[in-house]
Amino acid sequence: MGEPVSELRVGLVGAGNISGQYLGTLAGTPNLRLTAVADLDPARAARAAAGTGAAVADGVADLVAREDVDVVLNLTVPATHAEVALAAIAAGKHVYGEKPLAATREEAAAVLAAAHAAGVRVGCAPDTVLGTGVQTARRAVDDGLIGTPVAATAFMTGPGHEAWHPDPEFYYRPGGGPLLDMGPYYLSALVHLLGPVTAVTGAASAPRGEREIGSGPRAGRRFPVEVDTHVTGILRHGSGALSTLVMSFDVHAARLPRIEVYGTQGSLSVPDPNRFDGRVERYAADRKEWEALPVSAGYPGAGRGTGLADLADALAAGTPHRASAELAAHVLEVMLTLLDSAREGGTLPVTGCPRPAPVDLPAVRGSAEKDPSGPATW
């Protein structure tokens, strides 16, 4: 889809907290160039654009209409992800957005359909799963280092983001909560490790009706909780493996692993999927000991925006990009179906998706043909 390009000109929508990490990646990535920034707060947009040579656009409509924008980087709040993506697609632009892809299945389907009709690409975070942590773990699973995977656990527990985030309300509105906020990291990792999910069984609760902002100029202000803040579930993968998932903003402290995979010949400890790197450890059943595995896959030194760079390379090569809208739509369906199961009871089916291609070492962007002994450009 799309003509081969050597550089994508990026229009950024939403210059909030996370944008700084993306801007750092854009500045160091040869095939991405920031050309425009838009935000509800023009001053914030101007600060993001300062020193980059990018223009400050007069809102979303102005940005997506610009001729110097090839791809829209959508970093708005979850409730507007689909709206901004559809506006960009209607203008003939590629889109890469923060997770989740959309707030509802219907919105996600509309984004996919519009992109297909327009012949443009849509990518979606998280791209942390393209780093050396999850990809090294995936290589270990695919190479049979723990035998046949039979189960996995995935835990994300904490007291909530209001303690540190100055504007945390959107985390507790539809499209937010621990599952839709943090679940994409863990579920995307599980799909990379074990393949797509085919059925889920869930339970959920919201123990507190209000939260209090703990930092910034609005500290002390209380706001309502509109979503479940503790979600647990069982996922059945097409491979036959079962994953146990716990996502919570109601746990003050815990000593749980992030992700572990259990196989017929051992176990695998997977690092935090909200990071790009981290230590991967294998327990070998025959030797009855844990060992650290060397980095064997993934983009070394990656940062937020790596998925957009991967999209640019895939667009030029005519191959599928890895942080795809199809994967993001599958993850969204898993999450929403878990919540449906929590309300309705029972096990519910989930539509599958293609398992993304692995990221092999050396991760030399722009040329899979380069000398593997040479340094990676990531």
Side-chain angles (χ1 to χ4, degrees):
M1 298 172 68
E3 294 297 321
V5 295
S6 58
E7 176 187 73
L8 283 183
R9 298 167 296 178
V10 180
L12 168 65
V13 179
N17 276 4
I18 197 67
S19 65
Q21 296 184 45
Y22 279 89
L23 291 171
T25 299
L26 292 180
T29 305
N31 65 346
L32 300 174
R33 178 165 61 90
L34 184 70
T35 56
V37 181
D39 191 272
L40 291 173
D41 181 351
R44 190 160 64 177
R47 288 193 295 272
T52 67
V56 175
D58 185 19
V60 173
D62 178 42
L63 183 137
V64 302
R66 294 180 63 95
E67 293 185 359
D68 62 351
V69 170
D70 301 312
V71 59
V72 172
L73 177 56
N74 182 8
L75 305 184
T76 58
V77 297
T80 61
H81 283 179
E83 177 185 350
V84 173
L86 288 169
I89 293 167
K93 312 298 184 183
H94 306 293
V95 183
Y96 184 90
E98 256 300 325
K99 46 75 189 168
L101 177 65
T104 68
R105 297 177 183 85
E106 293 75 18
E107 287 181 348
V111 170
L112 288 171
H116 180 76
V120 300
R121 296 206 183 201
V122 178
C124 187
D127 51 5
T128 47
V129 294
L130 305 183
T132 56
V134 169
Q135 289 296 313
T136 292
R138 173 176 174 163
R139 173 60 61 83
V141 171
D142 289 351
D143 285 352
L145 297 189
I146 59 169
T148 301
V150 296
T153 54
F155 300 109
M156 192 297 300
T157 60
H161 295 334
E162 67 273 15
W164 60 269
H165 199 293
D167 300 296
E169 288 94 335
F170 72 92
Y171 288 114
Y172 298 91
R173 293 173 182 156
L179 183 60
L180 268 75
D181 175 45
M182 298 299 294
Y185 298 105
Y186 290 77
L187 292 168
S188 297
L190 289 172
V191 172
H192 270 271
L193 293 165
L194 301 173
V197 176
T198 59
V200 300
T201 307
S205 65
R208 287 183 278 167
E210 287 188 332
R211 299 273 175 147
E212 182 177 311
I213 300 174
S215 66
R218 301 166 64 235
R221 184 175 299 183
R222 301 187 67 81
F223 60 91
V225 173
E226 303 175 32
V227 295
D228 290 313
T229 53
H230 186 96
V231 182
T232 185
I234 303 296
L235 319 176
R236 182 177 293 278
H237 297 263
S239 62
L242 298 176
S243 292
T244 301
L245 181 77
V246 175
M247 301 280 116
S248 182
F249 284 165
D250 291 298
V251 176
H252 287 285
R255 294 177 176 175
L256 295 165
R258 298 292 188 175
I259 296 178
E260 289 184 342
V261 182
Y262 312 112
T264 56
Q265 297 175 25
S267 299
L268 196 68
S269 175
V270 183
D272 185 351
N274 194 15
R275 293 181 52 194
F276 288 88
D277 54 12
R279 184 182 178 95
V280 178
E281 294 182 298
R282 176 185 65 153
Y283 180 84
D286 57 346
R287 297 198 305 275
K288 294 182 171 52
E289 64 181 10
W290 287 94
E291 62 176 350
L293 298 180
V295 170
S296 61
Y299 289 123
R304 295 186 193 273
T306 292
L308 177 55
D310 181 86
L311 185 154
D313 280 346
L315 186 62
T319 57
H321 54 286
R322 294 177 176 89
S324 69
E326 290 75 15
L327 172 59
H330 174 66
V331 167
L332 178 66
E333 184 180 357
V334 170
M335 295 188 295
L336 295 179
T337 306
L338 262 177
L339 296 176
D340 289 344
S341 173
R343 287 188 293 269
E344 301 169 13
T347 299
L348 299 177
V350 176
T351 307
C353 74
R355 188 186 185 204
V359 181
D360 296 326
L361 282 178
V364 181
R365 285 195 319 99
S367 176
E369 313 295 327
K370 291 189 178 181
D371 179 2
S373 66
T377 57
W378 278 97

